[in-house]
Amino acid sequence: MNIRKTFFWLHLIIGCSAAIFIFLMSITGVALTYERQMIKTAERSDYPTAPTSSAKLLPMSEILAIANTYPTKKTAVIVVENQSNAPIIVKDGRKKVAYLNPYTGEEMAIPGQGTKIFLGKLRAFHRWLTLDGKFSEMGRWVNGIANIIFLVLILSGLYLWLPKRFNSRAFKQRLTLSGNYPNKSARNSQWHNVFSIYMAPILFVLVVTAFFFSFKWPGNTLKTLVSTESVALAKPVEISAKQSAFQLPVGQQLAKVKALYPEWQNIQFSLESAPFDSKVYKIDKGNGGEPQKKLKVLLSTLTGEVVQQQKFEQLSTYSQLRSYIRFTHTGEAFGLFGQTIAGLASLLACLLVYTGAMLSWRRWRNSRKVKNNLPAFSN
């Protein structure tokens, strides 16, 4: 058996063994392509409206007083979105504790909750093959192994894609769709060859980045290979009660941050119980999935001036790479265009699974007919 036949049978056997899992990951990946936009649209449809045409937003001081009444294990965090009727979010670590009506301060129902639950379960199935949205170690490993097989399929497929004779006609046949097929098998074969070569680079990136979701060793290995040191912000210093009398109200501090970064989409800050000479504001100028558009600002609570800022480029190499890996997998790191490309690649991965399965089925049926001395199946 020559090398090409060895690669062919490897490609066929492992492809058939993991086809269903690769298909499930791909089709759910398609459904999750615009997850962030779908959630945001569902949330905005539930945002409150002004009770009267002349109603004004509550002062930030009143909002913070209400937010402080919620018990939290960690220091409470406030999230403000760049939309006039968006609720003020109170968080305890990563957990969202409450959504406050910006006009009344009353607690709201979770906006877009139905969409969030549905997409959360779909995401869990995509990652862990669970239907209840909970983490599954077994599902994580199954998908991880399927991703390894998918990577082998991509690499072996690239080798098998190369024509036996290197000439322009052979490459043209493998790079373009003729549209004139004598039977379904010829069509499936050309679809499999043409779409696979164009999608291979994107699928390679999606599969490799998926390893970081399925296994711990890629992240641990990366941490040993690159720098983990970053330019950290100075720690705020606690001030006396006398000095705190000269502090700017948080509302004024927030207004200064908004003016300094007019492209902000959301701003986060914590509610410290003691007075400090400075305060950290986390600013996101992107869609939430563009790490390069996030930064932290250390603002003087006494003067409102920026003491220090930490941009994405000042984070450790490890932190930067992990952020890019996380959001390159979904395409979000490159905005709507990146999401669309990732979704299209996932959709075509479904087509590759289908055409590969059909070609394998035809080969198996033909082998059975030959064994029984019957005419080979050709359609």
Side-chain angles (χ1 to χ4, degrees), residues 365-378:
R365 287 196 60 178
N366 279 346
S367 68
R368 296 289 295 174
K369 290 179 180 293
V370 170
K371 185 176 180 181
N372 295 322
N373 295 321
L374 294 173
F377 181 74
S378 61

Side-chain angles (χ1 to χ4, degrees), residues 18 89 96 116 228 307 336:
I89 304 172
K96 293 179 180 178
K116 289 177 181 177
T228 57
V307 177
L336 190 63

Side-chain angles (χ1 to χ4, degrees), residues 129-142:
L129 297 176
T130 59
L131 295 172
D132 57 3
K134 296 180 180 179
F135 172 77
S136 166
E137 184 70 23
M138 180 178 292
R140 182 173 71 88
W141 272 94
V142 169

